[in-house]
């Protein structure tokens, strides 16, 4: 069997990508660039400007000037809301273009990329509506005092985004940051800068003032764009999504400046399937939960814990279904798993597959599909009988690889679920109402889904515990992160002050 040739190229594909600073497309100050690879061929298809300290300095200066001297922070919420709704309208019209770019740049199947524009637009619409409808607390002490909360934008927000579903996750940060009146510097992931190149045109068409949005491409390491943004003294906020180890470095580098930090980090999320679960629904959901988005998703249920009474049947059916998952070229509509994002990541995931072969029983996949001798393609891979001490149980793989482990009791299931350093998400499958709620409240995870795939409500907090993150975003939590809350107290009656420094004066008056 031979794979079809990869002759797909998106419309309007640029040959180079520049930074966007103060409303202008610009090269790096030192002229440096880096290659961006097509994950199907691993061949360079464009060059992107490679930002360093000087480029970040220029972007932050433009953002700071727009915050201090521009109209955006002082515009009425309704005025900012109109711009955000227009951004959403434009994003929706770019759905096909965006999907093709994401597919080409990230290896994401086109069928899954097609929903990214709608989700990105919804992020802007949600915060456009929220800033108009939001109200803050007010309290009064009758006849004595009134108190209210005054919410203010903070300044320049540094947004550092990942390479999986990049455009949608960029919108997740951009929406609340600019809705609340801040200005931003975005540092997209260096593996996948293509779709981010759409933002400048979208924002200009929507009427966002110059300098509110700035973008610098490049690497994250010391001396490059990401590190420079974190360490910049005029950037009081950093929102980061990425690996836990990178989050630790950012935490340390931001500490001297006491920056506000929001970090959504790694995950090794459990999906727990009890004997009384709807087995058909649980299998479908857990197959989708780890193999969709090529397995490159932070909330993937990559550890499946199955009660002993249904374990053998589950493993057999799950493995058979995993073997039927269609690996193919990203642009083909029938493809369910495409190419992993980059050869470095492909090698990392394949190394874990080899580790798994020595730690557990391989029941599906385990290598490169025969029809794809090149590119970053991996078969959906299933390991059964995985010990909780195994590396494939404990460590984030971030690819189409799943570990299945049996359990006997509710207590053992909870112990296994909590037995990693991560705590991002958990999925519970049971028809026992009491068990489901008790388990949800005791599992160490920032988000829990009961008898459900990962379906989010934008009003709810998103974030993890333990090594999976710091803080939460989503709904009012995003508003809280991107604003300062100032308490204002107003006296309404007689001033009730203890009086200091009057004793000597009183004594002198008596002597007189």
């Amino acid at each position: 069997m031979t794979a079809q040739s990869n002759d797909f190229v998106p419309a309007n594909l640029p040959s180079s990508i520049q930074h966007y600073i103060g409303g202008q497309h610009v090269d790096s100050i030192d002229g440096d660039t880096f290659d961006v690879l097509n994950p199907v061929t691993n061949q360079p298809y464009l060059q992107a400007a490679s930002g360093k300290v000087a480029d970040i300095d220029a972007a932050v200066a433009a953002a700071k000037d727009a915050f201090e001297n521009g109209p955006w922070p002082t515009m009425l919420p309704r005025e900012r809301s109109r711009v955000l709704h227009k951004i959403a309208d434009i994003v929706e019209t770019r759905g096909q273009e965006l999907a093709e770019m994401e597919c080409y740049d990230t290896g994401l199947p086109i069928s899954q990329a097609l929903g990214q524009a709608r989700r990105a637009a919804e992020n802007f619409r949600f915060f456009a509506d929220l800033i108009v409808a939001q109200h803050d607390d007010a309290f009064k002490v009758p006849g004595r005092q009134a108190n209210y909360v005054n919410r203010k934008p903070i300044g320049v927000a540094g947004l550092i985004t990942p390479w999986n579903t990049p455009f949608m996750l960029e919108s997740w940060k951009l929406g609340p940051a600019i809705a609340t009146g801040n200005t931003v510097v975005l540092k997209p992931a260096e593996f996948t800068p293509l779709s981010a190149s759409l933002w400048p045109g979208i924002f200009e068409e929507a009427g966002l003032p110059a300098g509110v949005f700035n973008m610098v491409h490049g690497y994250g390491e010391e001396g490059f764009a990401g590190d420079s943004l974190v360490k910049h003294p005029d950037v009081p906020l950093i929102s980061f999504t990425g690996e836990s180890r990178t989050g630790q470095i950012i935490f340390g580098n931001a500490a001297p400046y006491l920056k506000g930090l929001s970090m959504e980090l790694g995950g090794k999320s459990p999906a727990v399937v009890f004997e009384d679960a709807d087995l058909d629904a649980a299998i479908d959901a857990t197959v989708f939960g780890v193999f969709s988005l090529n397995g490159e998703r932070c909330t993937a249920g990559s550890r499946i814990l199955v009660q002993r009474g249904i374990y053998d049947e589950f493993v057999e059916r799950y493995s058979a279904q995993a073997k039927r998952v269609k690996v193919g070229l990203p642009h083909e509509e029938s493809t369910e798993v495409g190419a992993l994002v980059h050869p470095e990541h492909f090698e990392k995931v394949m190394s874990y597959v080899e580790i798994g072969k020595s730690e557990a029983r391989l029941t599906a996949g385990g290598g490169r599909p025969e029809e794809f001798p090149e590119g970053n393609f991996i078969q959906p891979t299933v390991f059964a009988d995985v010990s909780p001490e195994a590396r494939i149980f404990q460590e984030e793989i971030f690819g189409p690889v799943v570990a299945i482990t049996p359990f006997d009791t509710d207590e053992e299931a909870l112990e296994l679920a909590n037995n990693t350093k991560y705590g991002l998400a958990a999925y519970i499958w049971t028809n026992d109402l009491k068990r489901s709620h008790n388990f949800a409240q005791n599992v160490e995870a920032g988000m829990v889904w009961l008898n459900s795939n990962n379906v989010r409500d934008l009003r709810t907090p998103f974030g993890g515990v333990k090594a999976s993150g710091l803080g939460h975003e989503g709904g009012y939590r995003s508003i809280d992160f991107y604003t300062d809350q100032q308490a204002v107290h107003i006296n309404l009656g007689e001033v009730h002050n203890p009086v200091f420094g009057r004793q000597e004066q009183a004594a002198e008056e008596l002597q007189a």
Side-chain angles (χ1 to χ4, degrees), residues 118-119 172 285 288-289 297 299 425-427 429 447-462:
R118 178 185 54 79
R119 292 185 64 187
W172 199 340
F288 178 83
R297 56 186 305 167
T299 55
Y427 307 88
W429 292 89
M447 298 166 288
V448 183
W449 280 268
L450 303 176
N451 296 322
S452 173
N453 183 28
N454 182 337
V455 179
R456 282 204 61 227
D457 183 326
L458 292 178
R459 296 169 294 183
T460 60
F462 186 100

Side-chain angles (χ1 to χ4, degrees), residues 286-337:
T286 51
V287 166
F288 178 83
V290 75
F291 299 131
S292 59
L293 306 182
N294 298 343
E296 298 165 327
R297 56 186 305 167
C298 56
T299 55
S302 55
R303 293 183 297 136
I304 306 178
L305 313 177
V306 184
Q307 200 158 22
R308 187 86 59 182
I310 59 170
Y311 180 76
D312 290 341
E313 178 186 0
F314 184 95
V315 170
E316 181 180 358
R317 291 178 57 185
Y318 189 97
S319 301
Q321 191 157 328
K323 292 175 182 177
R324 295 192 295 270
V325 172
K326 175 67 167 26
V327 180
L329 293 172
H331 67 274
E332 294 178 349
E333 293 184 2
S334 61
T335 294
E336 294 172 320
V337 171

Side-chain angles (χ1 to χ4, degrees), residues 117-140:
R118 178 185 54 79
R119 292 185 64 187
E122 184 58 31
N123 287 330
F124 282 98
R125 292 200 195 285
F126 177 83
F127 288 104
D129 292 339
L130 188 58
I131 58 171
V132 173
Q134 92 175 53
H135 65 278
D136 288 304
D137 293 328
F139 311 92
K140 71 175 182 177

Side-chain angles (χ1 to χ4, degrees), residues 97-273:
E97 180 183 15
L98 167 63
E100 291 180 0
M101 285 188 170
E102 292 285 64
C103 171
Y104 192 80
D105 196 33
T106 71
L108 185 69
I110 189 70
S111 61
Q112 296 167 46
L114 282 168
Q116 300 305 307
R118 178 185 54 79
R119 292 185 64 187
E122 184 58 31
N123 287 330
F124 282 98
R125 292 200 195 285
F126 177 83
F127 288 104
D129 292 339
L130 188 58
I131 58 171
V132 173
Q134 92 175 53
H135 65 278
D136 288 304
D137 293 328
F139 311 92
K140 71 175 182 177
V141 181
R144 297 187 63 179
Q145 191 178 55
N147 312 279
Y148 67 89
V149 175
N150 178 38
R151 198 179 283 273
K152 302 186 292 184
I154 295 174
V156 180
L159 312 179
I160 304 175
T161 52
W163 45 254
N164 57 319
T165 60
F167 190 86
M168 190 277 292
L169 290 178
E170 288 156 6
S171 75
W172 199 340
K173 298 181 187 296
L174 287 166
I178 65 176
T180 47
N182 298 285
T183 58
V184 304
V185 177
L186 171 68
K187 206 295 283 184
E190 63 269 23
F191 285 176
T192 56
L194 180 59
S195 60
S197 67
L198 295 174
W199 287 120
I202 291 169
F203 289 143
E204 288 176 4
E205 186 178 342
L208 189 71
V212 173
F213 169 78
N214 304 273
M215 178 168 62
V216 177
H217 296 283
Y219 299 104
E221 290 82 2
E222 185 171 0
F224 289 88
D227 180 75
S228 303
L229 184 58
V230 170
K231 293 177 178 176
H232 202 290
D234 291 332
V235 180
L237 294 175
I238 296 291
S239 177
F240 169 74
T241 298
E243 293 182 336
S244 297
R245 176 60 189 143
T246 307
Q248 291 175 317
I249 295 171
I250 289 174
F251 190 97
N253 288 338
Y257 306 96
L258 299 176
K259 294 176 185 269
L261 293 177
S262 175
M263 297 195 288
E264 190 263 290
L265 306 176
K268 192 70 176 177
S269 301
V272 185
V273 184

